[in-house]
Amino acid sequence: MRTRDTLIRSAAEIFDREGFAVASLTAISTQAGVSNGALHHHFISKAALTDAVEEAALARLLAVTAAVLPLGVSRMQLLVVVTHRLAAALREDVVLRAGFELSGELSRPRHADLREWWRRWVEETLKQADAEGELRPDVTASDVVSAVVAATVGFEVLGVREAEWLSASTVTRFWRLLLPTVVPAALLADLDSEGTCPL
């Protein structure tokens, strides 16, 4: 299991640094400090190894979004906190970062589309927020989904080359701009755009 995990992390590092298309199994096995034979013992092909990276990344994304909503905390606050957690995880976790990057790779079939999974989670959270009266009457949940997903995936893509896009200050500025346009004024004062609310 340790060798398998090392190979997954090494593949993620190579994909993150060089891109999926040019990444070779030899480079991955060298990065992991194992032979090509050891790599093929665990993964029969580059596709199988890539699927394993995506599965590991999805498990990390599930952990980021698995926050339990405490009594008295709104769905919108949950969304703010989780977007902050996602940005932090993308900064720190090369496997999660590689999984998101693989979601944008058009030259191969996707095993686990993290960007699509994230969109669905945001959509479900915002539908619940809307049902609970947390969105302004003139705003639809789908409008907010579009804004949140476009911004967060944009931060993820841009953050690959410039870490500032995934910083807490960038995410906070986004929420300070968006929240007043989508949340009723009466609820706005209770929301923490810095995402420091404990969940």
Side-chain angles (χ1 to χ4, degrees):
M1 284 304 293
R2 187 178 299 125
T3 300
R4 187 179 191 279
D5 290 344
T6 300
L7 285 164
I8 289 170
R9 180 171 180 82
S10 296
E13 289 170 353
I14 297 288
F15 295 160
D16 186 51
R17 188 171 62 239
E18 299 177 11
F20 168 78
V22 299
S24 70
L25 292 178
T26 300
I28 292 166
S29 62
T30 300
Q31 173 94 3
V34 302
S35 67
N36 276 339
L39 185 152
H40 286 289
H41 172 74
H42 291 279
F43 302 103
I44 60 169
S45 65
K46 183 177 176 182
L49 178 54
T50 305
D51 289 349
V53 171
E54 287 181 314
E55 287 170 12
L58 181 57
R60 287 159 163 82
L61 179 58
L62 291 171
V64 168
T65 58
V68 176
L69 191 66
L71 190 63
V73 175
S74 69
R75 298 282 173 184
M76 287 304 295
Q77 186 64 70
L78 171 68
L79 182 57
V80 171
V81 171
V82 170
T83 56
H84 274 279
R85 288 182 180 178
L86 177 61
L90 285 165
R91 283 193 314 267
E92 299 161 9
D93 188 338
V94 70
V95 175
L96 180 63
R97 201 162 53 244
F100 268 91
E101 290 171 27
L102 287 168
S103 295
E105 183 61 53
L106 301 177
S107 65
R108 55 172 292 277
R110 290 185 292 274
H111 183 68
D113 188 337
L114 271 70
R115 291 178 183 165
E116 176 59 20
W117 197 97
W118 170 246
R119 186 201 61 76
R120 289 197 309 264
W121 184 87
V122 170
E123 182 177 51
E124 182 57 33
T125 302
L126 282 163
K127 282 181 181 176
Q128 292 171 354
D130 192 24
E132 293 168 15
E134 296 178 25
L135 297 181
R136 287 173 29 172
D138 59 331
V139 172
T140 68
S142 62
D143 292 336
V144 188
V145 170
S146 297
V148 172
V149 173
T152 53
V153 171
F155 296 158
E156 171 251 320
V157 170
L158 293 167
V160 169
R161 299 293 171 242
E162 193 175 338
E164 178 62 24
W165 285 104
L166 292 170
S167 69
S169 62
T170 297
V171 179
T172 297
R173 287 194 306 272
F174 165 71
W175 283 115
R176 284 186 181 150
L177 180 67
L178 185 66
L179 287 173
T181 67
V182 301
V183 174
L187 302 178
L188 197 55
D190 295 329
L191 293 173
D192 169 23
S193 60
E194 294 181 3
T196 56
C197 172
L199 296 180

